[in-house]
Structures are given as C-alpha cells and as structure tokens.
Amino acid sequence: MTTAPTAPATTTHLRRTRPVLTFLLLEQLRALRHPANLFFVIAFPLAMYLMFSNYQGSGTQPVGEHGNVAATVMLAMACFSACLAATSSATGTAVELQAGWGRQVAVTTGGMRTYWAVKVATAFVQATIPVLVIFAAGALTTAELDARGWVLGLLLAVLTVIPFILWGLGMGLLLPPQAAMGIAPALVSLFGFLGNAFMPLNEMMMAIARFTPLYGPAALVRWPVTEGWTYLTDLPAPVQDGLWMAVANLVAWTILFALPVVALRHRATVRR
C-alpha cells in the first residue's frame, strides 16, 4: 500500500503565514493613505521639532556628555509622535470591532488571535515611521548624540508606546466611533503638555507631570541624553528624577490602560 506524499513542513508554514503577512502589509498601506495620519502623526511633531530644536540658538548647547538640547527635543518629539501614531492605529482597530468586524474575523482560520497580532504589529510599525522621520530630521539639523543615544533613543521611542496601544483600544471600545477617533489622540496631545514632553515646567507642574501617562515614556526616551536631569522654570538648577520613577510610571499606566480593554474585550464579537 502506498501513502500519499505529504507537503514539507516549510511549505505548510509558508501557506499559513502568507495570509497573515498579506494582511499586515495591507494594513500598513491603508494607514499610510490616511491623510489625517500623515499630518497629525508625522507633520505636526516634525514641525514642533524644527521650531523648538534651536529656539533662540540654544540647540547646540551640550546636555551632559551624550548630546545637546536639539537632541533632547528630537527624542521628546519622537516619543510623542510614536505614542500618537500608536493611539490612532489602536483606536481605529477598536472602532472596526465595534462595527461588527470582530464577529467575522472570529470565524476565520486565524481567528481573533491573528487579528490582534496583526493589529498590534501595525500599531508598532505605524509608531516607528514618525520616529524615523524625526530622527532623520535631527541627523540633518543640529541634533547631536553618541551612537548609544541614537540606538537606545530609537528603540525606547518605539517600545514605550505599549500603554498607548492599550489606551487607543480602550477608548475605541468604550466610546462611540466618532468620539473615540477624536478624543483619544487629542488627549495624547494634552498628556504631552502635562508630561514635560514639549516645554520646561515649573516645580508645581512637574510634580503633577510625574503622575501623567506620557511622563514615563518621555523620560525614558530622553534618558540616554539627560539621565533624568530636567530644567524647571522656577528653579536655578536642574533636578534629577530616578530611573525607577519613569519605569514605575510606564508600568502603572500600562496596567491601568489594560483594565478597560480586558473588561470590554467581549464587545469585539458581540452582536449589535
């Protein structure tokens, strides 16, 4: 008796992953064609960097031993743009699910696990694009960093978007679609102002900033240059925050933003 030939394991693996890769590629192309994403996620933070990186000729002033003022502005704007991009991408995902797409995806071969994996990967890719643009602008202007700062700054700017992926998902599942698409990114901009990402704060505002969602990501992304030192407008000398404060902030807000996603995840497949 002869047995039917079986397909090689590599061929079977390619057959399974090809639809996922195609889905991921289509998601990237769809996001890049959205004009609002191109402006708010890339053009706005880039313009902020170009305006403030050399404000009153201070861009070339050194900050510690690893960079200059323009580099700290570049890192802060890269962090903000990445968080904004991740939020916009994740909010769009949640809005899709509210529209009933989750019920259709749930009955496919990959199911919701594949859908979530592709959407999270899309959020990370979308967050990486404005970071690369702003880093390129920094390299072509006055930003100066050592090799360690360039590498760590890029990696941290992308990795610290995790709480904002959860923020976008939670807001998209909680609010009506039109409200979610407007409110979630707008509040990220507010978090940026309150979290010491845009401009120096006074001592009282800095005390508040340490408890806001963007403080941790911004502090971590700038850490390769500033090592926690920051200038306050009403103090004669800079102050230093410990690394643990930024890490604790990031972890705490990740957990807080994950709670509504877990609580509302059933809405992804509920019949409406």
Side-chain angles (χ1 to χ4, degrees):
M1 181 181 293
T2 59
T3 58
T6 58
T10 54
T11 302
T12 303
H13 181 68
L14 287 174
R15 287 176 180 173
R16 291 177 178 177
T17 57
R18 187 177 296 130
V20 177
L21 295 176
T22 302
F23 184 20
L24 180 60
L25 177 61
L26 291 174
E27 282 295 306
Q28 307 307 323
L29 294 176
R30 184 170 70 99
L32 288 174
R33 289 198 300 265
H34 200 295
N37 281 351
L38 294 178
F39 176 76
F40 290 107
V41 173
I42 297 178
F44 174 61
L46 178 61
M48 293 280 286
Y49 165 72
L50 294 174
M51 283 191 298
F52 295 111
S53 61
N54 197 33
Y55 183 69
Q56 294 183 343
S58 62
T60 56
Q61 293 180 8
V63 176
E65 300 177 354
H66 305 289
N68 60 7
V69 171
T72 65
V73 177
M74 178 191 74
L75 292 171
M77 289 301 101
C79 173
F80 166 69
S81 65
C83 292
L84 190 61
T87 297
S88 298
S89 178
T91 305
T93 297
V95 169
E96 282 183 5
L97 294 175
Q98 284 211 60
W101 182 239
R103 296 197 310 274
Q104 300 180 45
V105 172
V107 299
T108 62
T109 303
M112 290 301 296
R113 289 184 179 180
T114 299
Y115 179 82
W116 284 118
V118 169
K119 289 297 187 175
V120 170
T122 298
F124 275 112
V125 173
Q126 294 301 308
T128 304
I129 293 172
V131 173
L132 293 175
V133 171
I134 292 174
F135 268 52
L140 294 173
T141 53
T142 56
E144 294 181 0
L145 276 170
D146 55 19
R148 166 180 167 273
W150 286 105
V151 174
L152 286 179
L154 176 61
L155 292 176
L156 289 169
V158 175
L159 294 177
T160 54
V161 303
I162 293 174
F164 289 90
I165 294 176
L166 296 169
W167 163 253
L169 289 172
M171 293 294 284
L173 291 171
L174 180 64
L175 300 177
Q178 293 299 324
M181 294 299 294
I183 293 174
L187 286 177
V188 174
S189 299
L190 178 61
F191 296 156
F193 281 103
L194 295 177
N196 196 36
F198 291 155
M199 61 187 68
L201 304 175
N202 58 37
E203 188 176 11
M204 183 185 72
M205 288 301 299
M206 189 63 191
I208 298 173
R210 295 184 179 101
F211 296 94
T212 60
L214 242 168
Y215 165 79
L220 287 171
V221 173
R222 287 189 296 213
W223 193 272
V225 177
T226 64
E227 296 180 340
W229 291 97
T230 186
Y231 289 93
L232 302 181
T233 57
D234 55 350
L235 292 181
V239 297
Q240 185 180 31
D241 287 348
L243 180 60
W244 70 269
M245 297 175 67
V247 174
N249 175 280
L250 181 70
V251 172
W253 282 106
T254 299
I255 295 172
L256 287 173
F257 287 157
L259 294 178
V261 177
V262 173
L264 300 172
R265 68 186 185 279
H266 67 281
R267 293 192 178 186
T269 54
V270 70
R271 183 178 296 276
R272 296 180 182 277

Tab-separated table of all heavy atoms in Angstrom, residues 206-260:
chain	number	residue	atom	x	y	z
A	206	MET	N	5.628	70.139	37.459
A	206	MET	CA	6.444	68.936	37.323
A	206	MET	C	6.008	67.868	38.316
A	206	MET	O	6.047	66.665	38.015
A	206	MET	CB	7.922	69.277	37.534
A	206	MET	CG	8.865	68.126	37.189
A	206	MET	SD	8.751	67.702	35.442
A	206	MET	CE	9.660	66.175	35.417
A	207	ALA	N	5.583	68.300	39.503
A	207	ALA	CA	5.074	67.341	40.488
A	207	ALA	C	3.826	66.638	39.960
A	207	ALA	O	3.619	65.436	40.207
A	207	ALA	CB	4.765	68.055	41.800
A	208	ILE	N	2.999	67.370	39.212
A	208	ILE	CA	1.817	66.767	38.594
A	208	ILE	C	2.224	65.887	37.421
A	208	ILE	O	1.672	64.794	37.219
A	208	ILE	CB	0.846	67.868	38.137
A	208	ILE	CG1	0.354	68.678	39.347
A	208	ILE	CG2	-0.332	67.283	37.370
A	208	ILE	CD1	-0.469	69.900	38.975
A	209	ALA	N	3.208	66.355	36.648
A	209	ALA	CA	3.630	65.636	35.436
A	209	ALA	C	4.061	64.214	35.732
A	209	ALA	O	3.830	63.301	34.922
A	209	ALA	CB	4.769	66.395	34.760
A	210	ARG	N	4.674	63.986	36.872
A	210	ARG	CA	5.195	62.651	37.205
A	210	ARG	C	4.096	61.602	37.313
A	210	ARG	O	4.388	60.410	37.325
A	210	ARG	CB	6.001	62.718	38.501
A	210	ARG	CG	7.259	63.575	38.387
A	210	ARG	CD	8.091	63.526	39.671
A	210	ARG	NE	9.295	64.331	39.548
A	210	ARG	CZ	9.452	65.550	40.059
A	210	ARG	NH1	8.445	66.099	40.748
A	210	ARG	NH2	10.573	66.222	39.898
A	211	PHE	N	2.843	62.046	37.387
A	211	PHE	CA	1.727	61.107	37.505
A	211	PHE	C	0.889	61.054	36.230
A	211	PHE	O	-0.197	60.475	36.236
A	211	PHE	CB	0.844	61.491	38.698
A	211	PHE	CG	1.542	61.387	40.018
A	211	PHE	CD1	2.162	62.497	40.580
A	211	PHE	CD2	1.604	60.175	40.694
A	211	PHE	CE1	2.821	62.404	41.801
A	211	PHE	CE2	2.255	60.072	41.920
A	211	PHE	CZ	2.867	61.187	42.466
A	212	THR	N	1.373	61.628	35.143
A	212	THR	CA	0.639	61.625	33.883
A	212	THR	C	1.193	60.554	32.942
A	212	THR	O	2.354	60.140	33.072
A	212	THR	CB	0.704	63.008	33.209
A	212	THR	OG1	2.079	63.339	32.945
A	212	THR	CG2	0.095	64.074	34.108
A	213	PRO	N	0.392	60.097	31.961
A	213	PRO	CA	0.785	58.929	31.160
A	213	PRO	C	2.028	59.105	30.288
A	213	PRO	O	2.723	58.129	30.027
A	213	PRO	CB	-0.446	58.683	30.284
A	213	PRO	CG	-1.582	59.284	31.021
A	213	PRO	CD	-1.016	60.476	31.717
A	214	LEU	N	2.314	60.326	29.829
A	214	LEU	CA	3.450	60.490	28.917
A	214	LEU	C	4.748	60.834	29.630
A	214	LEU	O	5.797	60.910	29.002
A	214	LEU	CB	3.130	61.567	27.873
A	214	LEU	CG	3.119	61.064	26.422
A	214	LEU	CD1	2.518	62.092	25.487
A	214	LEU	CD2	4.506	60.697	25.951
A	215	TYR	N	4.684	61.038	30.942
A	215	TYR	CA	5.920	61.344	31.671
A	215	TYR	C	6.914	60.194	31.571
A	215	TYR	O	8.092	60.403	31.259
A	215	TYR	CB	5.621	61.640	33.141
A	215	TYR	CG	6.861	61.615	34.007
A	215	TYR	CD1	7.728	62.702	34.041
A	215	TYR	CD2	7.174	60.485	34.763
A	215	TYR	CE1	8.884	62.666	34.816
A	215	TYR	CE2	8.319	60.450	35.546
A	215	TYR	CZ	9.173	61.534	35.564
A	215	TYR	OH	10.315	61.490	36.317
A	216	GLY	N	6.457	58.976	31.833
A	216	GLY	CA	7.351	57.829	31.817
A	216	GLY	C	7.994	57.591	30.464
A	216	GLY	O	9.227	57.506	30.361
A	217	PRO	N	7.196	57.471	29.377
A	217	PRO	CA	7.809	57.292	28.061
A	217	PRO	C	8.781	58.405	27.672
A	217	PRO	O	9.880	58.133	27.187
A	217	PRO	CB	6.592	57.261	27.119
A	217	PRO	CG	5.489	56.735	27.964
A	217	PRO	CD	5.728	57.310	29.334
A	218	ALA	N	8.392	59.670	27.886
A	218	ALA	CA	9.269	60.784	27.506
A	218	ALA	C	10.567	60.772	28.308
A	218	ALA	O	11.655	61.000	27.770
A	218	ALA	CB	8.540	62.109	27.688
A	219	ALA	N	10.465	60.505	29.604
A	219	ALA	CA	11.669	60.466	30.437
A	219	ALA	C	12.592	59.329	30.031
A	219	ALA	O	13.824	59.490	29.994
A	219	ALA	CB	11.271	60.328	31.905
A	220	LEU	N	12.028	58.174	29.711
A	220	LEU	CA	12.844	57.036	29.311
A	220	LEU	C	13.519	57.261	27.963
A	220	LEU	O	14.696	56.922	27.780
A	220	LEU	CB	11.985	55.768	29.257
A	220	LEU	CG	11.565	55.190	30.607
A	220	LEU	CD1	10.552	54.079	30.416
A	220	LEU	CD2	12.786	54.677	31.364
A	221	VAL	N	12.778	57.832	27.012
A	221	VAL	CA	13.358	58.065	25.687
A	221	VAL	C	14.483	59.090	25.762
A	221	VAL	O	15.497	58.965	25.067
A	221	VAL	CB	12.255	58.521	24.702
A	221	VAL	CG1	12.868	58.926	23.365
A	221	VAL	CG2	11.244	57.401	24.492
A	222	ARG	N	14.345	60.096	26.619
A	222	ARG	CA	15.404	61.115	26.756
A	222	ARG	C	16.519	60.681	27.692
A	222	ARG	O	17.539	61.378	27.795
A	222	ARG	CB	14.792	62.421	27.272
A	222	ARG	CG	13.979	63.152	26.231
A	222	ARG	CD	13.573	64.530	26.699
A	222	ARG	NE	12.695	64.477	27.860
A	222	ARG	CZ	11.726	65.348	28.094
A	222	ARG	NH1	11.503	66.327	27.245
A	222	ARG	NH2	10.982	65.255	29.177
A	223	TRP	N	16.347	59.560	28.386
A	223	TRP	CA	17.318	59.145	29.389
A	223	TRP	C	18.738	58.997	28.842
A	223	TRP	O	19.707	59.364	29.528
A	223	TRP	CB	16.872	57.848	30.056
A	223	TRP	CG	17.662	57.530	31.291
A	223	TRP	CD1	18.842	56.835	31.362
A	223	TRP	CD2	17.367	57.955	32.623
A	223	TRP	NE1	19.283	56.779	32.661
A	223	TRP	CE2	18.394	57.458	33.457
A	223	TRP	CE3	16.319	58.684	33.188
A	223	TRP	CZ2	18.407	57.672	34.826
A	223	TRP	CZ3	16.343	58.894	34.552
A	223	TRP	CH2	17.368	58.393	35.357
A	224	PRO	N	18.948	58.454	27.623
A	224	PRO	CA	20.326	58.334	27.117
A	224	PRO	C	21.076	59.656	27.051
A	224	PRO	O	22.309	59.667	27.052
A	224	PRO	CB	20.123	57.742	25.712
A	224	PRO	CG	18.840	56.991	25.807
A	224	PRO	CD	17.979	57.819	26.716
A	225	VAL	N	20.342	60.771	27.007
A	225	VAL	CA	20.987	62.090	26.974
A	225	VAL	C	20.937	62.758	28.339
A	225	VAL	O	21.949	63.217	28.868
A	225	VAL	CB	20.309	63.005	25.928
A	225	VAL	CG1	20.952	64.401	25.953
A	225	VAL	CG2	20.434	62.395	24.546
A	226	THR	N	19.753	62.825	28.921
A	226	THR	CA	19.579	63.637	30.131
A	226	THR	C	19.904	62.886	31.420
A	226	THR	O	20.196	63.512	32.438
A	226	THR	CB	18.123	64.128	30.233
A	226	THR	OG1	17.253	62.987	30.378
A	226	THR	CG2	17.719	64.892	28.974
A	227	GLU	N	19.779	61.551	31.401
A	227	GLU	CA	19.966	60.723	32.602
A	227	GLU	C	19.089	61.203	33.756
A	227	GLU	O	19.466	61.170	34.919
A	227	GLU	CB	21.440	60.699	33.016
A	227	GLU	CG	22.331	60.032	31.961
A	227	GLU	CD	23.790	60.000	32.369
A	227	GLU	OE1	24.184	60.801	33.248
A	227	GLU	OE2	24.536	59.190	31.796
A	228	GLY	N	17.888	61.654	33.392
A	228	GLY	CA	16.907	62.063	34.396
A	228	GLY	C	16.952	63.516	34.800
A	228	GLY	O	16.070	63.979	35.529
A	229	TRP	N	17.946	64.263	34.348
A	229	TRP	CA	18.037	65.682	34.702
A	229	TRP	C	17.072	66.496	33.851
A	229	TRP	O	16.927	66.262	32.654
A	229	TRP	CB	19.451	66.209	34.494
A	229	TRP	CG	20.448	65.653	35.468
A	229	TRP	CD1	21.295	64.614	35.269
A	229	TRP	CD2	20.693	66.112	36.804
A	229	TRP	NE1	22.057	64.375	36.391
A	229	TRP	CE2	21.699	65.289	37.356
A	229	TRP	CE3	20.150	67.127	37.590
A	229	TRP	CZ2	22.185	65.455	38.646
A	229	TRP	CZ3	20.628	67.293	38.878
A	229	TRP	CH2	21.633	66.474	39.395
A	230	THR	N	16.406	67.453	34.469
A	230	THR	CA	15.492	68.325	33.743
A	230	THR	C	15.519	69.715	34.355
A	230	THR	O	15.763	69.881	35.559
A	230	THR	CB	14.055	67.764	33.770
A	230	THR	OG1	13.223	68.566	32.932
A	230	THR	CG2	13.477	67.760	35.180
A	231	TYR	N	15.291	70.715	33.506
A	231	TYR	CA	15.268	72.105	33.959
A	231	TYR	C	13.845	72.512	34.294
A	231	TYR	O	12.910	72.216	33.547
A	231	TYR	CB	15.836	73.030	32.879
A	231	TYR	CG	17.322	72.896	32.696
A	231	TYR	CD1	17.844	72.015	31.747
A	231	TYR	CD2	18.206	73.641	33.473
A	231	TYR	CE1	19.215	71.880	31.580
A	231	TYR	CE2	19.580	73.505	33.303
A	231	TYR	CZ	20.071	72.629	32.373
A	231	TYR	OH	21.426	72.491	32.218
A	232	LEU	N	13.672	73.196	35.406
A	232	LEU	CA	12.387	73.748	35.803
A	232	LEU	C	12.468	75.263	35.741
A	232	LEU	O	13.491	75.858	36.082
A	232	LEU	CB	12.020	73.287	37.218
A	232	LEU	CG	11.951	71.774	37.424
A	232	LEU	CD1	11.556	71.442	38.856
A	232	LEU	CD2	10.972	71.126	36.445
A	233	THR	N	11.381	75.885	35.326
A	233	THR	CA	11.412	77.315	35.040
A	233	THR	C	11.584	78.180	36.279
A	233	THR	O	12.028	79.329	36.174
A	233	THR	CB	10.128	77.737	34.319
A	233	THR	OG1	8.994	77.385	35.126
A	233	THR	CG2	10.010	77.031	32.973
A	234	ASP	N	11.236	77.664	37.452
A	234	ASP	CA	11.309	78.495	38.659
A	234	ASP	C	12.403	78.041	39.623
A	234	ASP	O	12.410	78.456	40.786
A	234	ASP	CB	9.959	78.515	39.371
A	234	ASP	CG	9.446	77.115	39.687
A	234	ASP	OD1	10.031	76.134	39.183
A	234	ASP	OD2	8.456	77.005	40.431
A	235	LEU	N	13.331	77.205	39.151
A	235	LEU	CA	14.457	76.791	39.985
A	235	LEU	C	15.766	77.140	39.285
A	235	LEU	O	15.867	77.032	38.062
A	235	LEU	CB	14.406	75.289	40.265
A	235	LEU	CG	13.265	74.774	41.157
A	235	LEU	CD1	13.385	73.275	41.359
A	235	LEU	CD2	13.245	75.500	42.505
A	236	PRO	N	16.777	77.551	40.042
A	236	PRO	CA	18.039	77.970	39.411
A	236	PRO	C	18.867	76.817	38.867
A	236	PRO	O	19.706	77.020	37.985
A	236	PRO	CB	18.780	78.676	40.562
A	236	PRO	CG	18.228	78.041	41.801
A	236	PRO	CD	16.793	77.743	41.504
A	237	ALA	N	18.665	75.622	39.380
A	237	ALA	CA	19.471	74.477	38.965
A	237	ALA	C	18.560	73.333	38.537
A	237	ALA	O	17.413	73.219	39.005
A	237	ALA	CB	20.387	74.022	40.108
A	238	PRO	N	19.023	72.463	37.636
A	238	PRO	CA	18.191	71.329	37.217
A	238	PRO	C	17.986	70.325	38.345
A	238	PRO	O	18.747	70.293	39.314
A	238	PRO	CB	19.001	70.716	36.068
A	238	PRO	CG	20.415	71.120	36.335
A	238	PRO	CD	20.337	72.481	36.952
A	239	VAL	N	16.948	69.523	38.207
A	239	VAL	CA	16.659	68.466	39.176
A	239	VAL	C	16.736	67.121	38.462
A	239	VAL	O	16.559	67.030	37.246
A	239	VAL	CB	15.269	68.651	39.811
A	239	VAL	CG1	15.208	69.941	40.604
A	239	VAL	CG2	14.182	68.622	38.740
A	240	GLN	N	17.000	66.078	39.219
A	240	GLN	CA	17.125	64.744	38.636
A	240	GLN	C	16.073	63.802	39.214
A	240	GLN	O	15.931	63.688	40.423
A	240	GLN	CB	18.519	64.162	38.880
A	240	GLN	CG	18.744	62.822	38.174
A	240	GLN	CD	20.125	62.252	38.432
A	240	GLN	OE1	20.697	62.475	39.498
A	240	GLN	NE2	20.670	61.543	37.451
A	241	ASP	N	15.351	63.135	38.314
A	241	ASP	CA	14.410	62.095	38.716
A	241	ASP	C	15.082	60.741	38.518
A	241	ASP	O	15.785	60.518	37.516
A	241	ASP	CB	13.141	62.159	37.869
A	241	ASP	CG	12.273	63.355	38.229
A	241	ASP	OD1	12.540	63.988	39.265
A	241	ASP	OD2	11.331	63.648	37.470
A	242	GLY	N	14.849	59.825	39.437
A	242	GLY	CA	15.429	58.499	39.326
A	242	GLY	C	14.824	57.704	38.179
A	242	GLY	O	13.676	57.920	37.772
A	243	LEU	N	15.596	56.771	37.650
A	243	LEU	CA	15.114	55.928	36.563
A	243	LEU	C	13.882	55.146	36.990
A	243	LEU	O	12.964	54.905	36.187
A	243	LEU	CB	16.224	54.973	36.119
A	243	LEU	CG	15.896	54.009	34.979
A	243	LEU	CD1	15.518	54.758	33.711
A	243	LEU	CD2	17.076	53.069	34.715
A	244	TRP	N	13.830	54.761	38.251
A	244	TRP	CA	12.702	53.971	38.732
A	244	TRP	C	11.386	54.722	38.606
A	244	TRP	O	10.320	54.108	38.420
A	244	TRP	CB	12.921	53.575	40.201
A	244	TRP	CG	12.824	54.726	41.173
A	244	TRP	CD1	13.835	55.525	41.600
A	244	TRP	CD2	11.630	55.217	41.810
A	244	TRP	NE1	13.379	56.486	42.471
A	244	TRP	CE2	12.024	56.312	42.621
A	244	TRP	CE3	10.292	54.835	41.781
A	244	TRP	CZ2	11.102	57.030	43.393
A	244	TRP	CZ3	9.373	55.547	42.550
A	244	TRP	CH2	9.782	56.625	43.342
A	245	MET	N	11.429	56.051	38.680
A	245	MET	CA	10.195	56.837	38.577
A	245	MET	C	9.599	56.715	37.181
A	245	MET	O	8.378	56.553	37.026
A	245	MET	CB	10.483	58.296	38.928
A	245	MET	CG	10.953	58.495	40.355
A	245	MET	SD	11.430	60.210	40.718
A	245	MET	CE	9.852	61.030	40.591
A	246	ALA	N	10.442	56.798	36.165
A	246	ALA	CA	9.953	56.673	34.784
A	246	ALA	C	9.436	55.267	34.514
A	246	ALA	O	8.391	55.082	33.876
A	246	ALA	CB	11.062	57.039	33.803
A	247	VAL	N	10.170	54.262	34.992
A	247	VAL	CA	9.754	52.872	34.777
A	247	VAL	C	8.448	52.591	35.509
A	247	VAL	O	7.525	51.965	34.956
A	247	VAL	CB	10.859	51.905	35.233
A	247	VAL	CG1	10.369	50.462	35.160
A	247	VAL	CG2	12.117	52.085	34.392
A	248	ALA	N	8.342	53.045	36.752
A	248	ALA	CA	7.114	52.825	37.521
A	248	ALA	C	5.923	53.501	36.863
A	248	ALA	O	4.812	52.940	36.829
A	248	ALA	CB	7.301	53.343	38.942
A	249	ASN	N	6.129	54.705	36.340
A	249	ASN	CA	5.061	55.412	35.635
A	249	ASN	C	4.592	54.612	34.422
A	249	ASN	O	3.383	54.433	34.207
A	249	ASN	CB	5.558	56.798	35.212
A	249	ASN	CG	4.550	57.552	34.372
A	249	ASN	OD1	4.417	57.319	33.178
A	249	ASN	ND2	3.851	58.492	34.986
A	250	LEU	N	5.542	54.113	33.632
A	250	LEU	CA	5.204	53.353	32.430
A	250	LEU	C	4.431	52.079	32.781
A	250	LEU	O	3.404	51.766	32.160
A	250	LEU	CB	6.478	53.000	31.662
A	250	LEU	CG	6.285	52.217	30.367
A	250	LEU	CD1	5.654	53.096	29.302
A	250	LEU	CD2	7.617	51.665	29.868
A	251	VAL	N	4.901	51.353	33.774
A	251	VAL	CA	4.245	50.098	34.171
A	251	VAL	C	2.848	50.366	34.733
A	251	VAL	O	1.884	49.667	34.389
A	251	VAL	CB	5.113	49.351	35.202
A	251	VAL	CG1	4.356	48.142	35.764
A	251	VAL	CG2	6.433	48.904	34.567
A	252	ALA	N	2.734	51.385	35.578
A	252	ALA	CA	1.447	51.680	36.205
A	252	ALA	C	0.392	52.047	35.167
A	252	ALA	O	-0.743	51.551	35.210
A	252	ALA	CB	1.607	52.805	37.227
A	253	TRP	N	0.746	52.912	34.221
A	253	TRP	CA	-0.234	53.320	33.214
A	253	TRP	C	-0.529	52.199	32.232
A	253	TRP	O	-1.647	52.119	31.694
A	253	TRP	CB	0.241	54.576	32.484
A	253	TRP	CG	0.027	55.813	33.299
A	253	TRP	CD1	0.972	56.547	33.944
A	253	TRP	CD2	-1.218	56.454	33.573
A	253	TRP	NE1	0.395	57.601	34.611
A	253	TRP	CE2	-0.951	57.567	34.398
A	253	TRP	CE3	-2.535	56.187	33.211
A	253	TRP	CZ2	-1.959	58.412	34.850
A	253	TRP	CZ3	-3.539	57.027	33.662
A	253	TRP	CH2	-3.244	58.126	34.472
A	254	THR	N	0.437	51.327	31.978
A	254	THR	CA	0.166	50.161	31.135
A	254	THR	C	-0.898	49.285	31.783
A	254	THR	O	-1.838	48.817	31.108
A	254	THR	CB	1.456	49.350	30.910
A	254	THR	OG1	2.430	50.171	30.232
A	254	THR	CG2	1.180	48.116	30.059
A	255	ILE	N	-0.766	49.058	33.068
A	255	ILE	CA	-1.753	48.244	33.785
A	255	ILE	C	-3.116	48.934	33.811
A	255	ILE	O	-4.162	48.311	33.552
A	255	ILE	CB	-1.270	47.951	35.216
A	255	ILE	CG1	-0.010	47.077	35.174
A	255	ILE	CG2	-2.362	47.271	36.036
A	255	ILE	CD1	0.652	46.894	36.522
A	256	LEU	N	-3.121	50.232	34.103
A	256	LEU	CA	-4.390	50.969	34.167
A	256	LEU	C	-5.109	50.984	32.820
A	256	LEU	O	-6.333	50.815	32.757
A	256	LEU	CB	-4.140	52.398	34.649
A	256	LEU	CG	-3.796	52.567	36.129
A	256	LEU	CD1	-3.414	54.010	36.427
A	256	LEU	CD2	-4.983	52.142	37.004
A	257	PHE	N	-4.355	51.181	31.738
A	257	PHE	CA	-4.970	51.215	30.413
A	257	PHE	C	-5.389	49.822	29.950
A	257	PHE	O	-6.254	49.695	29.068
A	257	PHE	CB	-4.015	51.837	29.395
A	257	PHE	CG	-3.851	53.324	29.548
A	257	PHE	CD1	-2.712	53.963	29.058
A	257	PHE	CD2	-4.813	54.103	30.164
A	257	PHE	CE1	-2.547	55.336	29.193
A	257	PHE	CE2	-4.665	55.476	30.310
A	257	PHE	CZ	-3.519	56.095	29.808
A	258	ALA	N	-4.767	48.780	30.513
A	258	ALA	CA	-5.138	47.411	30.127
A	258	ALA	C	-6.470	46.990	30.750
A	258	ALA	O	-7.180	46.148	30.180
A	258	ALA	CB	-4.038	46.430	30.535
A	259	LEU	N	-6.812	47.563	31.892
A	259	LEU	CA	-8.018	47.147	32.601
A	259	LEU	C	-9.297	47.316	31.773
A	259	LEU	O	-10.096	46.372	31.670
A	259	LEU	CB	-8.129	47.898	33.928
A	259	LEU	CG	-7.045	47.576	34.968
A	259	LEU	CD1	-7.236	48.431	36.215
A	259	LEU	CD2	-7.068	46.093	35.325
A	260	PRO	N	-9.544	48.493	31.160
A	260	PRO	CA	-10.772	48.604	30.359
A	260	PRO	C	-10.757	47.717	29.118
A	260	PRO	O	-11.817	47.261	28.679
A	260	PRO	CB	-10.828	50.091	29.984
A	260	PRO	CG	-9.446	50.593	30.155
A	260	PRO	CD	-8.852	49.794	31.260
